[in-house]
Amino acid sequence: MGDYPKPGDHIFADRGTYDHHGIYVGEAEVTDPSSGKTRKLKHAVIHFGGNNSNIKGKASDAPCRKCFNKHGDPGVTLTCLKCFHKGDTFYKYRYDVSFITFNTTRNGSCTTASCDEPDVVIKRAYAFLHNQNFGDYDFFFNNCEHFATACKTGKARCNQGAAGFGVAGAIVYKAARRLLW
């Protein structure tokens, strides 16, 4: 992605075997946990993960000097854009795509669903961040794509979970999520 995303954009970083999703919020304020001082980030992302599942690096790595991210904190976090994508290529997730585009594009990169206005999306992302109420991370049934689509549409969805299984996989995935979640 050459240009910076716009606040409220759903972005994802290509991790090879999966993608990591988040909501770009633009400028944000972060607090240094050791000093209590605040700092403005020019490019911030709110994203969701658990047990180092979405972050390159180890929990023992030093916190980021820019956003104070510890690279292993589970739950909903606010980080700088660099900590979000960690050098991987990142893209804008697309909404309102045609059924044909949805079925011929790689899973986890678009949806036929419509999305809400950027201010609503950002408000939802910050609510999940402040309340830490998105639930426990589950790679198949409550992951970062579920988080980002919940922020964008009000409903958690994930199509990378059905990767490689086409429409039948998506139907089985949807049914299993309803039963287990």
Side-chain angles (χ1 to χ4, degrees), residues 10-11 21-23 46 48 93 95 121 134 143-155 157:
H10 172 170
I11 60 174
H21 296 254
I23 300 297
I46 298 176
F48 176 65
Y93 192 95
Y95 286 80
V121 173
F134 199 70
N143 63 37
C144 57
E145 187 177 356
H146 289 104
F147 168 77
T149 57
C151 292
K152 289 289 282 188
T153 68
K155 184 172 180 170
R157 294 181 172 105

Side-chain angles (χ1 to χ4, degrees), residues 10-41:
H10 172 170
I11 60 174
F12 64 98
D14 183 349
R15 296 280 191 260
T17 56
Y18 69 98
D19 298 323
H20 180 53
H21 296 254
I23 300 297
Y24 180 81
V25 295
E27 282 192 8
E29 193 171 274
V30 291
T31 304
D32 182 342
S34 62
S35 71
K37 291 183 180 180
T38 60
R39 162 185 311 159
K40 283 214 186 250
L41 293 177

Side-chain angles (χ1 to χ4, degrees), residues 46-113:
I46 298 176
H47 48 111
F48 176 65
N51 303 326
N52 290 328
S53 62
N54 64 355
I55 299 170
K56 285 183 179 177
K58 302 175 195 99
S60 60
D61 289 348
C64 174
R65 290 185 197 175
K66 193 182 262 186
C67 67
F68 313 112
N69 177 28
K70 292 184 183 175
H71 304 286
D73 291 339
V76 180
T77 58
L78 184 145
T79 67
C80 62
L81 182 60
K82 186 175 180 182
C83 281
F84 171 78
H85 71 78
K86 282 297 202 179
D88 292 323
T89 304
F90 67 97
Y91 307 90
K92 181 179 173 183
Y93 192 95
R94 296 182 303 150
Y95 286 80
D96 289 316
V97 301
S98 71
F99 186 71
I100 292 170
T101 299
F102 177 75
N103 283 306
T104 58
T105 306
R106 96 184 211 189
N107 289 352
S109 66
C110 63
T111 182
T112 57

